[in-house]
Each structure stands twice: as structure tokens, then as C-alpha cells.
Amino acid sequence: MKLIDTDDTILVVTGTEIPAEMNDRPLAYRLKAEIDRRGAGKTFRGAVVVSDLWYAQNRIFHLCAAVAVGGPGVNALSATLVEDLPMLVRRDDRIFVQGKWDGEEKRVSLWGMDRYTTAEAVDVFLNEGHCDAFLRAAWRMEPRIPTRTDLA
């Protein structure tokens, strides 16, 4: 049975060490639930939470769009992305949202200086339009054109 489609499934990647499992994995499942909701039940338009170790060992799934949750000190994917991804949001040098999804690879890194600011980075991603833009690109959707009702 097929569980992942590299064109539509979003991987949410967390670290494998105990602090990441305790602090970042619950955030990853909250993000997964929101991505699943935005996928509106369309087959494979959702998220799967995986560890950075699993991600490293299963290179075929590097074709999937991916969101790393947790900083470069606790998440190997975040560590590889920290220098490569543009900084979209940087607040008080404590909350970081990095991402690039206009090319072939669609990648996001959400992290903070501690578990609380990492949670805030996830909130910023979800609530300030970054998640919607990322999913439109990942799922190759046309941008929504505002209607007259939206503008009123």
C-alpha cells in the first residue's frame, strides 16, 4: 500500500535525540494536523512526521517537500539547511523561519533558541501566510485570486 507520494506528501522532520523527541515532535504533529487539514482530504495531500535519521537514510524521499522542526543543534536536516535557506522571519534573534520553495526543492526550517521560541516559529509559519505559500508551491496550486467578497 502506497503511503507517500513524492509530489504531494510533505515530510515534517524532527531530530532523533531525546530533547527533540520531547519538545519538537509534538510541534511536528501539530503542524502535520494543520497541513492535513489544508490538504482537504485529497489523496496524499498531507504530511508525514519522520526523524532526521530516517530522512537521511531514505534519499528517495528527498524529492518530497520538507519542513524541519527544531534548530540545527537538534535536527540534522535543519543543520544542513541553516546556511542555504533564506531567512524569512527573524525575531529578536530567537525565532527563525527559513524557507525556499520557488525551485525544484521545497524546504522550510522552523526553529528557535529554545522549545518555546521553536513553538513560536511554528505559529508564525502557520499564521502569517508562509505555510499557505509553501503548500501552494509544493502542491503546484495556482494562487487564489481574491473575489469581490474578499475585498469588501
Side-chain angles (χ1 to χ4, degrees), residues 31 64 112 125 129:
L31 180 59
C64 292
F125 180 70

Side-chain angles (χ1 to χ4, degrees), residues 18-78:
I18 291 173
E21 287 289 338
M22 287 175 38
N23 300 316
D24 299 336
R25 191 159 286 257
L27 296 173
Y29 276 101
R30 193 172 108 227
L31 180 59
K32 174 202 175 347
E34 187 59 28
I35 291 170
D36 290 350
R37 186 186 70 76
R38 294 178 191 198
K42 293 187 178 167
T43 305
F44 302 115
R45 280 204 177 161
V48 175
V49 177
V50 300
S51 72
D52 55 358
L53 181 60
W54 182 92
Y55 183 81
Q57 293 173 344
N58 292 277
R59 295 190 59 79
I60 186 67
F61 296 109
H62 292 200
L63 297 171
C64 292
V67 179
V69 177
V74 296
N75 186 323
L77 179 58
S78 292

Side-chain angles (χ1 to χ4, degrees), residues 5 9 17-18 33 36-38 43 47-48 52 74 76 82 87 90 93 95 114 118-119 132 137 147:
D5 183 301
T9 303
E17 300 298 321
I18 291 173
D36 290 350
R37 186 186 70 76
R38 294 178 191 198
T43 305
V48 175
D52 55 358
V74 296
V82 72
M87 189 66 66
R90 180 184 198 135
D93 285 331
I95 298 167
D114 55 36
T118 297
D132 289 329
T147 64

Side-chain angles (χ1 to χ4, degrees), residues 77-146:
L77 179 58
S78 292
T80 64
L81 298 174
V82 72
E83 297 296 326
D84 295 335
L85 291 181
M87 189 66 66
L88 303 176
V89 176
R90 180 184 198 135
R91 296 202 177 135
D92 302 323
D93 285 331
R94 298 190 54 74
I95 298 167
F96 306 93
V97 175
Q98 295 179 266
K100 185 171 194 280
W101 48 79
D102 58 355
E104 196 58 35
E105 286 189 341
K106 278 87 171 118
R107 301 286 183 262
V108 171
S109 184
L110 307 173
W111 57 285
M113 298 307 290
D114 55 36
R115 65 184 178 174
Y116 304 108
T117 52
T118 297
E120 288 182 52
V122 171
D123 288 340
V124 166
F125 180 70
L126 286 172
N127 299 320
E128 296 184 13
H130 305 289
C131 184
D132 289 329
F134 172 71
L135 293 176
R136 275 193 306 274
W139 292 337
R140 294 169 180 82
M141 298 166 59
E142 294 297 317
R144 187 175 167 274
I145 300 170

